[in-house]
Each structure stands twice: as structure tokens, then as C-alpha cells.
Amino acid sequence: MATEKHERIKQQIGDPFKVYAAIERAAKDGFDSLTEDDLFLCKWYGLYTHRHEKDYFMLRTKQPNGFVTIQQLRTIAEITEKQNKGFADITTRQDFQLHWCQTSQLLDILNKLQTVGVTTRGACGDIARNIVGCPVAGVDREELIDAGPLVTQASDFFLGNPAFSNLPRKYKISISGCRTQCPQPEIQCVSFVAIERQASGQREVGFDLRVGGGLSTQAFFGQRLNAFVRPEQVVEVLAKVTEIWRDTPEYREKRHHARIKYLVHDWGAAKLRQVLEERLGRTLEDSPADYQDPPDQYRDHVGVHAQKQPGLYYVGAPVLVGRITSKQMAKMADLADRYADPSALTASAPIRLTVRQNILLLNIPESSVDKVLAGLSEAGLSVNAHPIRRSVVTCTGIEFCKLAITETKVRSRQIVEYLEARVPLDEPLRIHITGCPNACAQYQIGHIGLMGSKTKIDGQIVDAYDVLVGGQLGRGASFAHPILRKIPATECARRLEQMLVGFKAQRKAGETFNDWCRRVGDEHLVKLLGGGKERDSSDDVEVPKVPESEGPVY
């Protein structure tokens, strides 16, 4: 069988990070000096070309566990203000994505980031991506264990490690000690979920190992290996799982099949555990038989919360559609510098990013909380947010992404602002809006998911969205399913309003949105979305075929 072209490129260069020489050359000789192979390998430095503008890139940083120092945020604010048109995006992997990075300025931007300890090495490419964790690790009063140091240790292990710089495809990891499972371990390639057990009459905290989660065009939840991993074993076990994935050549033959979720699906959890134990040279201990995931709930840490450190609080602010301006970042850095307790154990990184594209400030003394809240409100980051505003997740869309079918950021903002003004809610409601089937915005786990498509109105092809409902995480996890296809984008806000008004009017006491959807059935939901009429959806617009996840996926 012929070698798949991306595998051929990696084989020829040996070390994908050698592409840095091409980036240096392009900074001097211009964009046209980059070959097609160079552009593919630039991903290993977090770089993707823009959809429309030839000479510009998107650049993703790595912020393990979402940790951000004051100086890092100030530097990123400065870069975005002077070189990136004044904004950046927070991604669902707890890092930043910068836009409008011109070829001639790439080295300057990379050097500025490096000066403050921010790397982009391994932010993209066939490699371990930014490792996510609980953003309030070390301060959460309910956490089972502070897993922040483990995330750092694992990130350092993979960073620039030539043994793991050529995996079959991207590789996503979470390690978390919180009880709410906020890093969404259900959909990670590999996840370590904190659990506790009784051993010899003593309480012991470790991690439950799960492998094989992932979304894109075919979604899988990670499978539990029913293995109990002690904290000191995490990096070793993670390395061995990664070796198994790296060394299974059949998953390199077809790019769209090169994800560890397919290996787990094909092998099953029992075989994977057996092979893992052979690699480790020992038998893994079993997780507690009575373990249960927590129920689906808020996982975003928005609002004001007391820390485990007496007298200190953390404040979580929603960032609408994940897009944050340079002025907002500078304001956050100033607030942290002025009010965060510098003597706190977590003082080195008092700013945290979340997988729901929001931002937190840690270590705020009680006497300063109101001042911080006022400062956030002035910056347009009020914590008093409607459930939809605090929970919406949005991908990059056609503004920058070459794979997107629809515009997302502006449309998502319009939908949120429309709904929050018309539909009062007091419980979680996750809306995920993605511009193509690749699921960068994770539409399959939203209570409501919108997936980009196209339709025709008066002979004109326009943006449209498929509507899905029923995504759930935690106990009873399930993926959303489609109920109505190709709603014109301009009609989405109004149609969703009709469905949510129906929910509020028809729900039983204490009934969640998902429970209500199951009770009333899809036919009723479609009627609500259609305003009581069946819309003629027979058009001749074929949805563009999108290759799986070759673009700026989160």
C-alpha cells in the first residue's frame, strides 16, 4: 500500500520541528518560499494559514491546564493590539488562538511569546495537544486532588520530545482532580479522572483511566479501562498508552481513520488494558466497582466562588463566543496584578482559561471582590450572565478556517444576545455552534447543537444550520441527535426562541431541557422550531464535503 501523503512528509523530514528553518526563511523571503509540505508541518508550531488572506496565519499557544501568568496575558494583549487587529480567541483546549499573524512577523511574535514562557510547539500537528485540566486546580474547595502539577509534568514530558512528535494524528489529553469533571474527560483521547477508594481502611485518591473519546464526524465517548492509577503513575501510564497508539501502523494508513478512538472501538477496553499492562510489565489495579460519574451540571466556574484558601475567592467571567479583545486582556492582567494575593500558593498563574472559552481570576481577597467585579463589568465581562451566554461554545468559522461551511462568531453572538433578552433561564443550557461537521465547537455534547450547512432562499445559497438536541455529559452521557436540518442562519435565533419558550411553558417541575425533549418527542420539537408549519426543505444545495479535522480544530 502506498504511504499516506502526510505520513510521507513526516518520514522525509524525520523531526517535524525542523520546519522552524522554513519559518525563519519565510520571515525573510516571504510566504511564497513555503512549500506545501512546509505549510503542513507549520502546524507543529501552532500555525495554520488563513482561509482568505495568503500572507497570514492563525497561531495557537499552549497554556497547560489553562494556566496564564500576568505577564503572559499582558504580552498576548500587546501582540494582539499591535499585530493581530486587537483580538484573540480562547479555545476549547484552554489556550489562545491569535489571528492576522503576518509571515514577516512570525519570528517576532514567537520570540515575544517565548520570552514570557509561552510556547506554541505542539499546539497543533500530529502530536499531544495542550493538556487540559480543571482551571481552579489548587484552589477548588471540593477537589479530590490538585492535578495542576501533574498536567505540568505531563506537558513537560511531551514538549519537544522526539519520541512522541510523530503520532498518527492529533492527540488530546485531560488530567483533572475536580469532582465536576469540567475538562470534559468523556470526549478526550485519554483522560485521567480523579476518584477515591478505601484501601486498608484508608482513603486513597487516584485516577480512573479512560481512552478513546473524540468527536469530529464520528463521535465516541471514552471507554473506562476500570484501572486505578496512582498520581505518581500518571505520566508513565500516559506514555505507555501513547506508545501503543504511536506504534499501531494500521491507523496511519487512512488519515480520516487515524484517531485513537478508532483503535479503542476496534480493540475494546479489555484488549487495550491487556496490551497496556504488557507494556508496563505489571497488572493495573482496578477502579472501585461502585464508581459513578457526576450528573450533568454547570462545569464552567463562572461567578464568584470561595477558594480552599481562607479569605480568598476566584471570579469566573464569561467571554462571549470565546473572542476576547486586547483591551479586555490588558484589563484582566491589571486586575490580577492589582488585586490577586501575591502570597497565595497559586500566585504564579492567577489567570486561568476554561474549556468553555471563558476566563478566571484567582486569589482575590474578599475585600477586593466587588472592585474586581466592577472592573470586569467595565471591560464587558460581567459575571452576571444568562446561562446561554456563560455556556455557548463557538468555533472559528469561515472568517479564518478553511474547512468551515458557515460564519459562526457573529451569528453566535447574535443568537445569544437575542435569546438572553427574550428567554429567562435559571439552569444550565449549553448551546454549541460549529461551522462544519468536524465539531470544533463540540456540537454533539450541547443540549442544543447547531452544525453549519447551506440552503437556498429565493435562488440564493445562504448559511444554514442543522439543529440537534439531547447532548449530555457525566452520568447518562449521550450525544445530541439531529431533529431539523438546514434552518437558514438568519432564522436560527427566532426558531430557538420558539422552542425554548415551549420548554418553559410545558416543562414539569424540576424537568431539565433534555428530559423535556425526550418526553415531548422530536416531532413536537420540530413543530416548535418551525413555528407550527412544515418548512419546505427540498433544495438542491449539496453540503460541501469536509475532510476530517485537517483545519484549525480545537
Side-chain angles (χ1 to χ4, degrees):
M1 179 179 291
T3 303
E4 194 272 338
K5 70 173 184 177
H6 300 93
E7 290 299 312
R8 174 188 57 78
I9 295 170
K10 292 185 290 182
Q11 288 174 10
Q12 288 178 345
I13 196 169
D15 178 6
F17 290 110
K18 290 181 180 178
V19 76
Y20 194 78
I23 298 172
E24 291 179 312
R25 182 183 69 243
K28 181 180 64 173
D29 297 338
F31 179 88
D32 289 336
S33 68
L34 294 168
T35 67
E36 183 179 344
D37 290 1
D38 291 335
L39 291 174
F40 168 68
L41 294 167
C42 278
K43 297 174 185 177
W44 271 253
Y45 279 92
L47 290 163
Y48 287 99
T49 53
H50 267 196
R51 179 186 182 100
H52 302 292
E53 294 76 13
K54 175 181 175 182
D55 193 29
Y56 292 90
F57 290 81
M58 293 184 288
L59 174 64
R60 194 171 307 147
T61 70
K62 289 185 79 171
Q63 314 287 157
N65 212 112
F67 289 179
V68 185
T69 71
I70 294 171
Q71 192 54 50
Q72 286 173 353
L73 190 59
R74 281 199 172 128
T75 298
I76 293 171
E78 178 184 338
I79 292 171
T80 56
E81 176 66 22
K82 295 180 178 179
Q83 297 168 284
N84 303 146
K85 297 196 175 183
F87 66 89
D89 289 330
I90 299 172
T91 82
T92 57
R93 295 212 69 76
Q94 294 180 294
D95 48 30
F96 288 108
Q97 189 160 273
L98 312 185
H99 302 285
W100 298 107
C101 297
Q102 195 166 16
T103 308
S104 61
Q105 298 181 359
L106 289 179
L107 292 181
D108 178 58
I109 292 172
L110 291 172
N111 288 335
K112 286 177 179 176
L113 293 172
Q114 183 77 28
T115 299
V116 293
V118 174
T119 185
T120 68
R121 286 164 58 92
C124 310
D126 300 346
I127 200 164
R129 303 291 182 88
N130 193 54
I131 300 179
V132 298
C134 177
V136 290
V139 305
D140 178 14
R141 294 199 299 180
E142 302 298 323
E143 69 182 356
L144 292 170
I145 185 174
D146 175 8
L150 284 174
V151 173
T152 300
Q153 185 180 350
S155 298
D156 290 344
F157 172 79
F158 283 111
L159 182 62
N161 188 336
F164 298 99
S165 65
N166 176 11
L167 302 179
R169 281 288 297 280
K170 60 186 175 185
Y171 189 61
K172 300 181 178 181
I173 302 162
S174 72
I175 306 172
S176 178
C178 73
R179 295 178 184 271
T180 61
Q181 299 184 1
C182 66
Q184 302 174 166
E186 299 93 338
I187 59 171
Q188 307 296 333
C189 295
V190 183
S191 59
F192 293 85
V193 178
I195 56 174
E196 54 186 342
R197 68 176 184 178
Q198 292 295 318
S200 302
Q202 299 292 319
R203 173 181 176 270
E204 183 181 12
V205 174
F207 295 90
D208 186 60
L209 174 60
R210 307 174 189 205
V211 186
L215 299 178
S216 194
T217 54
Q218 189 171 8
F220 293 93
F221 286 123
Q223 295 189 36
R224 295 183 61 209
L225 270 59
N226 296 315
F228 183 88
V229 181
R230 291 189 172 91
E232 65 272 16
Q233 300 170 335
V234 165
V235 175
E236 178 197 16
V237 171
L238 176 57
K240 295 303 181 183
V241 172
T242 311
E243 287 177 6
I244 294 169
W245 170 228
R246 181 196 64 194
D247 298 341
T248 310
E250 56 264 40
Y251 294 97
R252 294 180 182 266
E253 295 173 359
K254 295 180 180 179
R255 191 77 174 164
H256 68 275
H257 199 62
R259 296 293 302 274
I260 197 171
K261 64 184 180 182
Y262 294 113
L263 180 149
V264 177
H265 176 73
D266 295 343
W267 285 14
K271 178 179 176 180
L272 178 59
R273 175 167 171 170
Q274 177 186 345
V275 175
L276 174 59
E277 290 175 338
E278 291 171 358
R279 288 257 179 174
L280 288 167
R282 67 174 187 276
T283 300
L284 291 165
E285 299 176 78
D286 291 335
S287 289
D290 60 352
Y291 172 79
Q292 280 192 321
D293 282 330
D296 203 4
Q297 58 193 310
Y298 277 125
R299 296 182 175 192
D300 58 13
H301 302 291
V302 168
V304 179
H305 304 267
Q307 298 182 184
K308 65 169 62 174
Q309 295 82 8
L312 296 182
Y313 293 77
Y314 70 85
V315 181
V319 180
L320 184 55
V321 303
R323 179 148 292 176
I324 188 165
T325 68
S326 55
K327 290 182 173 55
Q328 287 174 325
M329 287 187 279
K331 182 67 172 181
M332 291 289 288
D334 289 344
L335 290 172
D337 196 16
R338 184 172 183 181
Y339 297 114
D341 185 347
S343 65
L345 290 176
T346 54
S348 61
I351 301 152
R352 306 285 174 88
L353 308 180
T354 81
V355 299
R356 302 206 63 80
Q357 302 176 308
N358 295 324
I359 194 165
L360 316 179
L361 288 179
L362 275 57
N363 306 324
I364 307 300
E366 184 174 5
S367 60
S368 299
V369 168
D370 286 343
K371 298 170 186 174
V372 168
L373 293 177
L376 291 172
S377 293
E378 290 172 7
L381 297 170
S382 174
V383 303
N384 297 316
H386 189 281
I388 293 175
R389 177 178 287 261
R390 66 185 280 182
S391 296
V392 68
V393 170
T394 308
C395 74
T396 298
I398 62 172
E399 182 181 11
F400 300 114
C401 177
K402 291 184 174 181
L403 296 185
I405 298 170
T406 59
E407 192 283 323
T408 55
K409 292 293 189 184
V410 174
R411 180 61 59 194
S412 299
R413 181 180 293 272
Q414 181 262 330
I415 290 171
V416 171
E417 292 175 345
Y418 182 95
L419 292 177
E420 66 184 358
R422 291 168 174 81
V423 186
L425 289 170
D426 57 4
E427 69 271 349
L429 186 73
R430 297 192 303 272
I431 297 183
H432 292 240
I433 304 174
T434 193
C436 82
N438 276 317
C440 303
Q442 308 165 342
Y443 67 93
Q444 298 101 320
I445 63 169
H447 298 127
I448 299 173
L450 300 182
M451 187 189 77
S453 185
K454 292 290 185 184
T455 192
K456 188 177 287 187
I457 297 179
D458 297 330
Q460 298 295 314
I461 297 176
V462 298
D463 282 0
Y465 283 93
D466 296 349
V467 179
L468 301 88
V469 298
Q472 185 161 313
L473 296 173
R475 197 175 306 161
S478 62
F479 291 124
H481 65 278
I483 59 172
L484 190 61
R485 299 192 183 277
K486 297 191 174 186
I487 293 180
T490 54
E491 298 179 15
C492 283
R494 178 180 60 82
R495 301 283 196 103
L496 293 178
E497 177 195 8
Q498 292 169 179
M499 182 169 65
L500 292 176
V501 167
F503 162 61
K504 288 183 63 68
Q506 300 164 13
R507 69 187 297 198
K508 295 179 179 179
E511 190 172 38
T512 67
F513 177 79
N514 279 355
D515 288 341
W516 172 76
C517 288
R518 284 188 285 268
R519 178 171 62 82
V520 302
D522 291 354
E523 185 176 349
H524 182 69
L525 298 176
V526 169
K527 184 177 180 180
L528 289 173
L529 284 168
K533 298 179 182 179
E534 291 295 330
R535 178 182 174 271
D536 181 10
S537 60
S538 60
D539 59 60
D540 59 356
V541 179
E542 183 178 355
V543 178
K545 300 297 183 184
V546 178
E548 182 182 333
S549 305
E550 283 304 323
V553 292
Y554 293 173

